[in-house]
Amino acid sequence: MKRYRYKCFSKAYELVKLFTVTKFTVTLFTMLMILFGHIGTYESLAEETTSLDGYKFLFEITSDDSDVGALNQPVDLDVADGQIYVADTINSRIVVFDDKGNVENVFGKRGTGAGELKAPMAIAIDEGNNKVYVADSSNYRIQVFKTNGDFIMSIDPNKEIKGSAKKVRPIGVAVATNGNIYVSDVDNNFIRVYSPKGKFIFKFGGFGAENGKLCVPVGISIDENDSVYVVDMSNSRLQVFDKDGNFVMNIGSRGDIKGSFGSPKDVCIDAAGRIYISDAMNLVVQIFDNDGNFVGVIGAEKDVDKQFASPFGLAVKGERLYVIDRWRNSVRVLGTKFQN
């Protein structure tokens, strides 16, 4: 497969660097890259590879604007105990659905106070301890709730930030088996690790394009062996680390052929070790085995039920794959039955 030289910034971002800009402009530009993807045109993967057999469209969670729990540009989700927790970004809240797509709970509201949110960009559930971690991105913090929506505490990742360093703006969050919290620090290009009580432990990554370095880290996931999977968006790849932050491998490069990405957003791993990566620019979800080998692609079909308008957040549970389709304001649920 053709390999592409890693480039840490898109051409658009390189142009922005030529000008003197305010901190607000830089922050706004980064957010636009995360939400809209790189500037450019990528052809469909449909001509490059056939879509993966062994899955089927089950249903879509959607609603009218007037409905309770109606979503407005959601970004991320997680699943626990048959319930689907969605980060409803523009509405600054969390919406909880049952396994049939009915609204069960709504918690959080726009604001800066305890239990309030401002454009949450990621969510992770610690099932064993009944905790929900929310990347409260525009409030520059992690908010922690019980699974029933009761507020527990806030984690301020900027306590240890001193001097002229940029504030930590969490954009992704995941929980390890020991309860440690891994946070994508998008503006500083680090993964920061906190204890279950919110104490900073260590960080890894840092700006760059070589192995182990990051440029605009976004989605993050942790498997049952505590391997850490980080979507390295502006390097157009997935990087895998061990729990201590040591580099293990990377997957992908920039492009529109199988195994390459236009604008990767999120990652999840199923019980068999298969890795799912959403690619918002190529409008597909690509699947790899646990060694990083390409397996197949979802979303390149002519069948509209199996197409995505803008795939973002991912979660997998049992034989179901859940995909946030951001511009459809919906969650698409697919059944997965693969031959091992």
Side-chain angles (χ1 to χ4, degrees):
M1 183 181 71
K2 181 180 179 181
R3 303 296 296 176
Y4 292 81
R5 182 183 178 186
Y6 296 137
K7 295 181 179 179
C8 193
F9 290 98
S10 67
K11 292 181 179 179
Y13 196 82
E14 291 172 347
L15 289 173
V16 169
K17 287 178 65 182
L18 296 176
F19 297 90
T20 301
V21 293
T22 63
K23 182 178 179 181
F24 171 79
T25 304
V26 173
T27 300
L28 177 61
F29 186 86
T30 305
M31 289 296 292
L32 289 174
M33 287 182 68
I34 293 166
L35 295 179
F36 295 98
H38 293 286
I39 297 172
T41 302
Y42 294 90
E43 296 179 357
S44 172
L45 281 166
E47 296 180 0
E48 171 66 25
T49 182
T50 56
S51 294
L52 187 70
D53 292 329
Y55 79 98
K56 63 179 179 178
F57 172 79
L58 297 179
F59 63 93
E60 183 175 22
I61 300 174
T62 186
S63 59
D64 295 328
D65 291 343
S66 60
D67 291 347
V68 174
L71 302 173
N72 191 351
Q73 297 183 33
V75 171
D76 197 25
L77 80 167
D78 204 353
V79 180
D81 295 327
Q83 294 184 312
I84 307 161
Y85 292 71
V86 178
D88 189 13
T89 304
I90 301 301
N91 288 324
S92 294
R93 63 185 184 177
I94 305 301
V95 181
V96 186
F97 300 90
D98 66 18
D99 61 0
K100 295 180 177 61
N102 302 304
V103 176
E104 286 208 338
N105 193 13
V106 178
F107 59 90
K109 64 178 182 177
R110 182 176 298 277
T112 60
E116 296 177 339
L117 303 167
K118 189 176 179 182
M121 292 290 288
I123 185 169
I125 300 174
D126 180 355
E127 288 190 76
N129 293 301
N130 296 315
K131 291 181 179 179
V132 180
Y133 295 88
V134 180
D136 188 11
S137 303
S138 292
N139 281 326
Y140 295 87
R141 64 188 179 184
I142 299 294
Q143 296 259 58
V144 188
F145 301 86
K146 293 181 180 179
T147 49
N148 66 2
D150 292 342
F151 175 73
I152 299 175
M153 67 175 184
S154 289
I155 298 173
D156 180 4
N158 289 288
K159 283 183 177 180
E160 76 276 5
I161 303 301
K162 298 179 181 179
S164 59
K166 291 181 181 178
K167 291 180 68 175
V168 176
R169 182 161 55 91
I171 212 78
V173 62
V175 185
T177 57
N178 63 359
N180 284 347
I181 308 148
Y182 289 67
V183 175
S184 296
D185 175 6
V186 67
D187 291 335
N188 295 293
N189 299 294
F190 283 108
I191 302 301
R192 296 179 180 271
V193 185
Y194 300 86
S195 73
K197 294 184 178 180
K199 181 181 178 181
F200 175 74
I201 303 174
F202 69 98
K203 64 183 180 182
F204 60 92
F207 174 77
E210 58 266 38
N211 290 341
K213 297 295 184 180
L214 302 165
C215 188
V216 191
V218 285
I220 183 171
S221 187
I222 300 176
D223 68 15
E224 60 186 10
N225 298 313
D226 282 336
S227 294
V228 183
Y229 300 75
V230 180
V231 176
D232 189 9
M233 190 182 77
S234 284
N235 283 324
S236 294
R237 64 187 178 186
L238 177 81
Q239 295 213 64
V240 185
F241 302 85
D242 67 18
K243 64 181 181 180
D244 298 316
N246 299 305
F247 173 79
V248 176
M249 69 175 180
N250 60 55
I251 299 171
S253 58
R254 190 182 310 282
D256 61 353
I257 62 175
K258 61 183 181 182
S260 64
F261 307 110
S263 185
K265 299 298 183 186
D266 200 17
V267 58
C268 67
I269 304 92
D270 69 15
R274 285 179 288 259
I275 305 164
Y276 301 76
I277 303 171
S278 58
D279 188 349
M281 185 62 74
N282 285 324
L283 306 182
V284 297
V285 174
Q286 295 196 56
I287 305 173
F288 301 81
D289 65 21
N290 56 10
D291 292 320
N293 300 307
F294 177 81
V295 173
V297 59
I298 300 173
E301 299 88 343
K302 294 181 180 179
D303 184 349
V304 68
D305 282 340
K306 297 178 181 178
Q307 296 175 354
F308 303 112
S310 184
F312 264 69
L314 299 174
V316 63
K317 202 75 170 179
E319 294 183 345
R320 283 186 172 185
L321 173 68
Y322 302 82
V323 184
I324 290 285
D325 205 344
R326 182 173 175 79
W327 301 124
R328 295 165 76 114
N329 294 317
S330 71
V331 178
R332 318 206 79 204
V333 184
L334 304 171
T336 61
K337 290 185 178 180
F338 299 107
Q339 296 296 320
N340 292 319

